[in-house]
Amino acid sequence: MVILSRNTVYSVLYLILSFFNAAIIFLMSNAEFLAMTLIIVYVGAVAVLFLFVVMMLNINVVQAKEGMLRYLPFGLVLISILLIELSLIFSDLPVFPESNTKINISELLNNGNSNTKAIGLHLYTDYFIIFQISGFVLLVAMLGAIVLAYQKNENYIKQDVSRQLDSDRKKAIKLNDIKPNR
Amino acid sequence: MIFIPEIFLAFSALLFILIGPFIRKNAYLLVTYLTLLTVIVAQFLVYKDIFHFESIFNNFFVIDSFGSFIKSLLLIGTAIVLYIFIIANKNTQLNRIEFPILILLSLTGMMLMVASNDILSLFLSMELQSLALYILVAFAREDRNSSEAGVKYFVLGSLSTCIFLFGSSLIYACFGTTNFSEISGAINQLNEIPLILIIGVVFILVSLSLKISAAPFHMWTPDVYQGAPTIITAYLSVVPKIASFAVIIRFLVFPFGEIIVDWGKIILILSITSMLVGSLGALQQKDLKRLFAYSTINHIGFMLIGLVPGSEDGIIAICIYLMLYLIMNIGVFVVILSLSRDNISVSSIKDLTGYFTNNPFMAVCMAVFMFSMAGIPPLSGFLGKLIVLNVAIDNNLIFLAIIGVISSVIAAYYYLRIIKVMFFDSSSDELDIKVNIETKILLAVLSFLNITILFYPKFFLDLSASITFSLFSVN
Amino acid sequence: MLNIPILPLLIIVPVVGLIFVLLSVEEDENYIQAKKSALWTSVINFLISLYIPFNFDKDVPHFQFVNSFSWLNSDNLKFSLGIDGISLPFILLSTLLIPLCIYSTWNIKTKRCKSYLSAFLILETFLVGAFSAIDLFSFYIFFESILIPMYLIIGIWGGDRRVYSAYKFFLYTFLGSVLMLVAIIFLYQEFGTTDIPSILNLSLPFYIQIWLWLAFFSSFAVKIPMWPFHTWLPDAHVEAPTEGSVILAGILLKLGGYGFIRFNLSMLPDASIFFTPFVFGLSLIAIVYTSLVAIVQNDMKKLIAYSSVAHMGFVTLGIFSATIQGLHGAIVQMISHGLISAALFFCIGSIYNRYETKEIANFGGLNSIMPKLAIFFLIFSLGAIGFPGTSGFIGEFLTLLAVFSHNTFVALISALGVIFAAAYMLNLYKKVFLGQPSKFIQKVKLDLRLNEMIIYSLLVFFIILFGIKPNYIIDFSTSSLDRIISLYPISIL
């Protein structure tokens, strides 16, 4: 629905819906904190930002949608291939290996840790380096945004002291010798 | 502390971001010099522990001689690129402090990539390097081509990321772990390889092929190479390729060495298509950068031959080929970078017309690189081809070897075309003659290496053998 | 025997000379200094190479003057040099022709003279290397390397269609030889060695021999060149500068024949027998067809080029007759063709330098203006025909003798080639030198210069020397050839 709806604002709202669904999946696997974070960060910040951008840009939707239909058959073929593959995979796998995950959330909870604490424990000990690298990835993203978007604004008026001091009568006034007869 | 080079690089990058804005004049130049210095220091840090083996950070990363060797190749490549940037860059849009910093960050990402021992860390470090590269490609903001290339690279790179994630989720579903060592252990216990695992590996392989631009996942390469600023193209065509190739080697050989039957065929197909696309696609090209994009694809195809049998010899061959490729390709791009007419950079083949007449030294160097890339003895490119073909024939892949040599004959045609344009044709519209002395020295060194490496290959063979040993001893 | 590393010396001296050439000061347009250093280098190299025949043990069939250096990782892959009776004449031929080529540029203004001379010196290094390599890989390296200077010589200093010819030359030979590379690697993988002497002692299964034979054949047949693969040769010859044609005809073609003897015949005897009718067929076509083509050529160089293909047809006949006379004949024929075709190309070069054309139709009665050249040209033409007393005769005679013992029919047809040769060479001579002096030739009146006289006299000396005493060549190679033939299974033809 995100890409199908004609109105971009609706699209963003559908996006929020899908974020909610993802959050529910997290909830179902006992990860309340993650679910909440997802809602807060994505729905609260990212999606709202999207909404602003969409409203400000005021894209002509109909024009942007032109030519969508042309790629539809191709897309359908791709989708069907992927679906068939997926169904093949999962039919091949009768029992989903259940308890082989490294981190067992319920086990952690039983030890008396809260959900949030468990995540923190893992994130800052075992997965510390991963956390750091993610930080660097974000830093690069920020740098990139600055590099690509920041522009020295040269449109405003300001005093250039050296130029003012540099000017004198000879430069300011230009004498043209005009022959009256011509 | 063993993990020093990467940490050192990352912190220097942070430091440079901090000090950059406080320098008044030519900040970018100073930062570039500092970056170059950092890279050289990191090189020594890598050398210090080159034969060390340790897994660190909760088994997320591993330090071994294979990784250290690739890291030092990456550092050498980056150092040369930075040096070229200092001495030969003409594109003033690149003269900003962010340029060397981004290179440094992408280098950090690549070094982490090479050292990764876990799909999670691999993924993040790959993102780090590719994000930096996307920005670098689009760095020349006012140049429409550059922005276009940046967007193309970004879109396809994101696609590759998605595919990678999908693949890794499948592998996780299979084993419940993302760690290479644990996966390797788990595979050994399986009596039957589940289909889901193979599909996961294939997905990751596709994503990595996009990174090394092996055909049929090469589509972005010519456009991005052409659009990006030349110095970035030089960087792009060498350093990330080496890193991604090393990742492919580690990923396939270490945890999935057992299922070589499955991925061997895919690599075989990738190799054949890359060689053919690389040699046939370049025939009609008019732009040097585009042409060398195809030439890269061709070389990648050759290197993949070495991976098909998944044996130690093959990896040794690839290591040597990577080294030679670095020397040849950097040289070519130094020449391309110094081509200009009336101080405007040019890069079409036509512009090289009569280059021998007005700049014999550069033309001869370029000719050396061309013959070397075509794999004609006594130049170094021959050594790479020889060793790779040797591996292929050793493993009864004679048809692959024959496709390889035929593609190299086709490829020789377009390398010869460049030589023809430079040496045989006389030009009416001459290029700028002035090339600064540092560039000349660098070129002289590179071509000297290209000429002489064939006389002492033993050193390189022993080196690569001792390096790849670590990769297999773990298994 | 003194223990001088003579072969490495032969290979290194031109490189040293090259440095001198590149460092020489351009004092005038003629680059006398550069030419002098190049000439001295090559003459010194020739004198060094003369050391070999006087210290060569004629009765030993194995390789002599062996020097090896470790190259790749194992002991089996060495960079080894050595010569036996087969390669000895070719090395001497190369070291003789290079100084002559350099000397012939003496009074001629060549553009980029320094690069030109350096290309020839590099070429000498590679040629000597290729003839003296006794390791498959080192042979291949030298064999392939030759392409680079030759490509540049044709491409930079050649005629109007030089680019096309240079391409054709390069890609034809490259395609042929990469297949050989695959074969070499295969041999290495199968037997763990690329040392030619040790491979000679192996006996390979027949079906492998067939494939290897074809791979080697593809490389050498292009090089020598045999009939369907010869199309690069006329183009390359016509467009190459005089000296380039001399080297091309004089030495490069011989690499093909040398390769046939060294690899196809000695290493893969079973397959050679199997393919003998095939080679004979191609050679006959080459002899008859290219001779006929040569008759109708109107470009002098092209005529000589086609005649080269025909002469090489004799060589392949001789080689694959696999008898002692045949092989002797082939070697003598190659050496004599090296001298004679080189001489003819020099002559055409002399004419071209004066008149700037090679069209036969423009000439006539040249003997009135250049009588000295006319005499020399006559001698060389007679040599090319195979006139008794010249070395050409010995080669063709021995070859025909060997082929007769094989198959009378083949011999009869190939004898036709000799007649055709007489037809086109004498026709050429008549049209260019005899008859009414044409108006065209009146514009330049200059007979041979001193350097040309010296070159031609030397060549005439050698041609007649080998014509009268072919033993100088034959004696050296007898024992090596005997060894090959003793290994050769009894002929089935």
Side-chain angles (χ1 to χ4, degrees), chain B residues 356-357 371 376-378 382 386 389-390 393-394 405 409 412-413 416-417 420 423-424 454 457-458 461, chain C residues 71-73 112 137 140-141 144-145 148 151 155-156 162-163 167 170-171 174-175 178 182 185-186 188-189:
Chain B
F356 184 52
T357 326
F371 279 125
I376 296 171
F382 170 68
L386 174 70
L389 290 179
N390 195 2
I393 294 173
D394 192 15
V405 293
V409 173
Y413 172 78
L416 285 183
R417 189 156 63 116
K420 173 217 132 191
F423 282 76
F424 303 167
L454 202 63
K458 202 168 170 356
L461 271 174
Chain C
W71 183 54
L72 278 179
N73 50 349
R112 303 179 191 293
F137 277 120
Y140 181 80
I141 288 174
E144 278 285 272
S145 313
I148 298 177
Y151 175 72
I156 300 178
R162 57 179 193 265
V163 175
Y167 263 117
F170 195 101
L171 292 177
F174 192 44
L175 181 62
V178 286
V182 175
I185 298 175
F186 179 79
Y188 171 63
Q189 291 295 349

Side-chain angles (χ1 to χ4, degrees), chain A residues 82 85-86 88-90 92-93 96-97 100-103 125-131 133-134 136-141 143-152, chain B residues 3 10 14 17 57-58 60-61 96 98 101-102 105 112 120-121 124-125 127-128 131-132 135 138-139 141 166 170 172-176 182 194-196 199 203:
Chain A
L82 274 177
E85 272 186 0
L86 272 179
L88 272 178
I89 294 167
F90 287 106
D92 190 57
L93 204 76
F96 214 81
N100 59 0
T101 45
K102 213 166 130 193
I103 320 151
T125 54
D126 295 351
Y127 291 80
F128 164 71
I129 187 74
I130 300 294
F131 186 67
I133 298 174
S134 330
F136 267 98
V137 172
L138 291 178
L139 175 72
V140 171
L143 257 182
I146 294 169
V147 167
L148 297 182
Y150 173 75
Q151 235 164 355
K152 267 199 186 136
Chain B
F3 207 47
L14 292 181
I17 296 177
F57 286 124
N58 205 10
F60 273 120
F61 290 99
R96 298 168 62 181
E98 285 89 352
I101 292 171
L102 280 172
L105 282 169
L112 290 171
L120 200 56
S121 52
L124 273 172
S125 36
E127 277 312 285
L128 180 59
L131 204 54
I135 300 163
F139 208 94
R141 252 186 341 194
F166 190 59
L170 290 181
Y172 183 75
C174 210
F175 296 117
E182 288 171 27
L195 187 63
I196 186 170
I199 291 187
F203 268 103

Side-chain angles (χ1 to χ4, degrees), chain B residues 377 382 455, chain C residues 6-11 52 62-69 71 76-88 90-92 94 124-146 180 184 194-200 216 220 255 258-263 266-267:
Chain B
F382 170 68
F455 297 108
Chain C
I6 193 95
L7 293 171
L9 201 63
L10 275 180
I11 289 177
I52 302 172
H62 300 288
F63 288 97
Q64 304 179 29
F65 302 99
V66 174
N67 289 89
S68 7
F69 313 93
W71 183 54
N76 299 328
L77 266 183
K78 278 184 199 149
F79 203 82
S80 38
L81 304 168
I83 44 175
D84 66 353
I86 304 170
S87 47
L88 173 66
F90 295 107
I91 290 180
L92 289 178
S94 332
E124 179 167 19
T125 299
F126 294 150
L127 282 170
V128 173
F131 282 123
S132 60
I134 54 168
D135 180 282
L136 285 172
F137 277 120
S138 20
F139 174 77
Y140 181 80
I141 288 174
F142 284 120
F143 187 77
E144 278 285 272
S145 313
I146 293 169
M180 179 170 83
I184 290 175
T194 52
D195 194 29
I196 292 175
S198 34
I199 287 183
L200 287 182
F216 280 107
F220 299 130
L255 263 176
Y258 171 76
F260 273 140
I261 300 179
R262 171 74 80 228
F263 300 102
S266 9
M267 276 166 26

Side-chain angles (χ1 to χ4, degrees), chain B residues 55 59 62 117-118 177-186 254-255 474:
Chain B
S55 64
N59 218 352
V62 68
N117 194 31
D118 191 297
T177 176
T178 51
N179 191 285
F180 287 172
S181 323
E182 288 171 27
I183 291 175
S184 166
F254 176 45
V474 193

Side-chain angles (χ1 to χ4, degrees), chain A:
Chain A
M1 289 310 277
V2 179
I3 52 168
L4 279 185
S5 62
R6 285 187 165 265
N7 194 325
T8 31
V9 180
Y10 289 170
S11 291
V12 176
L13 289 178
Y14 279 119
L15 189 66
I16 292 175
L17 181 67
S18 65
F19 283 141
F20 266 107
N21 290 338
I24 289 167
I25 294 179
F26 274 120
L27 264 182
M28 275 158 65
S29 52
N30 281 344
E32 297 92 0
F33 178 70
L34 275 186
M36 290 306 130
T37 323
L38 195 79
I39 290 173
I40 292 167
V41 173
Y42 279 95
V43 178
V46 179
V48 172
L49 206 67
F50 264 20
L51 257 181
F52 275 123
V53 172
V54 165
M55 285 169 174
M56 274 155 79
L57 284 182
N58 194 14
I59 300 165
N60 190 351
V61 185
V62 183
Q63 208 174 22
K65 287 265 162 79
E66 258 176 27
M68 267 268 282
L69 228 61
R70 253 189 314 157
Y71 300 109
L72 196 65
F74 184 64
L76 281 180
V77 169
L78 271 185
I79 288 170
S80 55
I81 289 176
L82 274 177
L83 277 180
I84 293 167
E85 272 186 0
L86 272 179
S87 63
L88 272 178
I89 294 167
F90 287 106
S91 65
D92 190 57
L93 204 76
V95 188
F96 214 81
E98 285 213 343
S99 59
N100 59 0
T101 45
K102 213 166 130 193
I103 320 151
N104 200 329
I105 295 169
S106 51
E107 197 179 293
L108 277 170
L109 287 178
N110 290 342
N111 286 347
N113 294 329
S114 74
N115 204 318
T116 323
K117 194 177 172 190
I119 288 174
L121 269 179
H122 272 289
L123 205 55
Y124 294 105
T125 54
D126 295 351
Y127 291 80
F128 164 71
I129 187 74
I130 300 294
F131 186 67
Q132 286 294 327
I133 298 174
S134 330
F136 267 98
V137 172
L138 291 178
L139 175 72
V140 171
M142 207 166 77
L143 257 182
I146 294 169
V147 167
L148 297 182
Y150 173 75
Q151 235 164 355
K152 267 199 186 136
N153 196 347
E154 277 153 15
N155 289 334
Y156 58 88
I157 304 160
K158 68 168 182 182
Q159 283 186 328
D160 190 346
V161 182
S162 55
R163 238 185 82 207
Q164 283 180 336
L165 289 176
D166 202 32
S167 66
D168 60 10
R169 187 171 56 90
K170 279 173 195 160
K171 279 184 193 165
I173 303 168
K174 192 181 170 195
L175 288 176
N176 280 351
D177 193 13
I178 302 168
K179 299 255 166 61
N181 291 343
R182 300 185 57 189

Side-chain angles (χ1 to χ4, degrees), chain B residues 232-254:
Chain B
I232 296 300
T233 314
Y235 186 65
L236 208 60
S237 72
V238 177
V239 184
K241 292 275 179 299
I242 295 177
S244 312
F245 217 102
V247 166
I248 290 196
I249 292 173
R250 190 193 286 283
F251 179 75
L252 289 182
V253 171
F254 176 45

Side-chain angles (χ1 to χ4, degrees), chain C residues 9-29:
Chain C
L9 201 63
L10 275 180
I11 289 177
I12 287 168
V13 166
V15 180
V16 177
L18 172 76
I19 297 168
F20 279 110
V21 170
L22 289 180
L23 289 180
S24 67
V25 192
E26 302 166 29
E27 44 193 25
D28 58 296
E29 278 193 5

